[in-house]
Amino acid sequence: MLRQLAGWGLLLLLVGAPWAVGCLDDWAKMSLAIGGLVVAGCWGFSYLLERRWPRVPWPCAVAVGGLLVFGWWMALNAQQQYIGDSHEFVGVRAWWPGGPGAVDGFSARELMWPLSGILGMLLMACDLGRERLWRARIWWVMMGTGTSVAFYGIMGKLGLLPMIAANPGHPGSAFGPFDYHGNAGAYLNLVMPLAFGMLLRSHQKKWSWRWQVGCVGAWVICVVAIFVNISRGAILIAELEFAALLIWTAFPSLRQGRVIGNSRNVWQIAVLCAVFAIAGLIILHNDPRGATIKDNLRQGIHSPRVLAWRI
């Protein structure tokens, strides 16, 4: 019972996280941190009561455990703390002076709380995903939430709905609940393949035509949102996703011999995917800022974006 309640809490967080202005404001980050820790704690405590190990793949468990140990080590053994009034770093007492530790202890601890909750929810998703019912629930919630964000963003760009987020320095950067087009594009790139997978599922299981039309509509809305959003990086990543989805759809051997609907429907989906891929290339080619992408690729490791990533 406790694990089921934790699962429903996870679904609520999956719905609320993107709509809470992308969880970038302090109140949203704190809510996500507390919610994630509570649901993950309830999930772990349920297994403790049952005296058995969670059903989590060991590579994921090792990776999550390593990140948590390393992160909290650095946060708790911080060597300095940043003072905003004087704009300087001041040394603090560490339990291992001179050992590995964060530069700013307050910022490190502030980051580790939501990260711990997110990693706990990742373990929960791996465990609940072993059950067919919960796997479907998580998939539907993520796809439905992403489609609603995409639809609201499109309507906002058309001026039919009020903008939730605002970017005073660059108004065109806002999209739906996100105030920065890069964050919105990254989220849409995660949701679009989920909608495509549900579309294939609807053909595989031969759902009613209403459900199939709904799945097609959800996928189209996500794709259009990626194109309407001004993130060129997101469109470029979507092109790679289209290529992977097109190969996956057109070659049945990659699906372990499973038949997804009839061949006519499969090729219709493949053609639609190819059309979207071509449309994305045309948008990138005609984008007046496209020279910036070419310049970044030409500069290689000396590109400002690459240098910023290294920093």
Side-chain angles (χ1 to χ4, degrees):
M1 182 64 179
L2 188 59
R3 187 163 61 252
Q4 298 295 320
L5 292 176
W8 287 108
L10 173 64
L11 297 182
L12 289 177
L13 290 174
L14 289 176
V15 174
W19 282 106
V21 201
C23 280
L24 294 179
D25 293 343
D26 292 337
W27 67 268
K29 288 189 290 187
M30 183 58 64
S31 300
L32 178 64
I34 295 175
L37 291 173
V38 168
V39 297
C42 292
W43 166 76
F45 188 66
S46 67
Y47 274 103
L48 185 62
L49 293 177
E50 297 175 4
R51 296 182 179 180
R52 61 191 184 97
W53 289 98
R55 300 164 299 176
V56 177
W58 69 265
C60 181
V62 170
V64 169
L67 287 173
L68 290 176
V69 170
F70 178 77
W72 279 110
W73 177 300
M74 300 294 287
L76 298 177
N77 194 48
Q79 306 294 312
Q80 294 177 317
Q81 184 168 331
Y82 179 71
I83 306 299
D85 295 335
S86 57
H87 301 285
E88 62 179 350
F89 289 95
V90 178
V92 295
R93 181 179 298 178
W95 61 271
W96 182 8
V103 176
D104 182 15
F106 179 79
S107 298
R109 290 188 294 272
E110 188 180 33
L111 175 64
M112 282 307 301
W113 283 116
L115 181 60
S116 300
I118 292 173
L119 292 176
M121 290 188 289
L122 172 62
L123 296 179
M124 280 188 60
C126 291
D127 175 66
L128 295 175
R130 290 179 174 267
E131 301 178 17
R132 183 176 181 179
L133 178 59
W134 275 106
R135 186 166 60 248
R137 287 172 177 171
I138 294 174
W139 198 319
W140 276 109
V141 167
M142 293 180 66
M143 188 193 76
T145 304
T147 303
S148 65
V149 169
F151 180 78
Y152 196 100
I154 295 172
M155 294 295 103
K157 289 290 187 180
L158 296 176
L160 300 179
L161 290 175
M163 299 297 292
I164 299 177
N167 190 332
H170 192 182
S173 181
F175 185 88
F178 297 92
D179 61 356
Y180 177 57
H181 60 273
N183 296 336
Y187 179 73
L188 293 173
N189 283 334
L190 293 175
V191 174
M192 189 269 289
L194 294 177
F196 185 84
M198 194 62 72
L199 170 60
L200 293 182
R201 184 71 172 175
S202 67
H203 284 278
Q204 177 189 7
K205 296 300 182 180
K206 297 181 180 179
W207 295 349
S208 66
W209 67 270
R210 294 182 179 85
W211 283 103
Q212 294 189 29
V213 171
C215 291
V216 172
W219 181 52
V220 171
I221 290 174
C222 292
V223 173
V224 172
I226 293 175
F227 292 161
V228 171
N229 189 32
I230 63 174
S231 175
R232 294 163 298 170
I235 298 178
L236 189 60
I237 294 175
E239 290 299 307
L240 299 178
E241 291 179 336
F242 286 140
L245 296 176
L246 182 60
I247 295 174
W248 180 266
T249 305
F251 295 94
S253 60
L254 298 178
R255 300 192 298 269
Q256 300 177 356
R258 297 181 180 180
V259 178
I260 301 181
N262 55 59
S263 58
R264 181 181 178 182
N265 289 337
V266 170
W267 281 108
Q268 288 176 349
I269 297 174
V271 170
L272 186 60
C273 188
V275 169
F276 283 143
I278 296 173
L281 291 175
I282 294 174
I283 293 175
L284 284 176
H285 179 73
N286 294 330
D287 192 328
R289 304 168 299 163
T292 305
I293 295 181
K294 298 177 183 178
D295 293 340
N296 288 332
L297 294 176
R298 189 180 302 111
Q299 295 174 12
I301 61 174
H302 302 291
S303 167
R305 290 180 180 268
V306 176
L307 294 176
W309 173 81
R310 292 176 62 185
I311 294 174

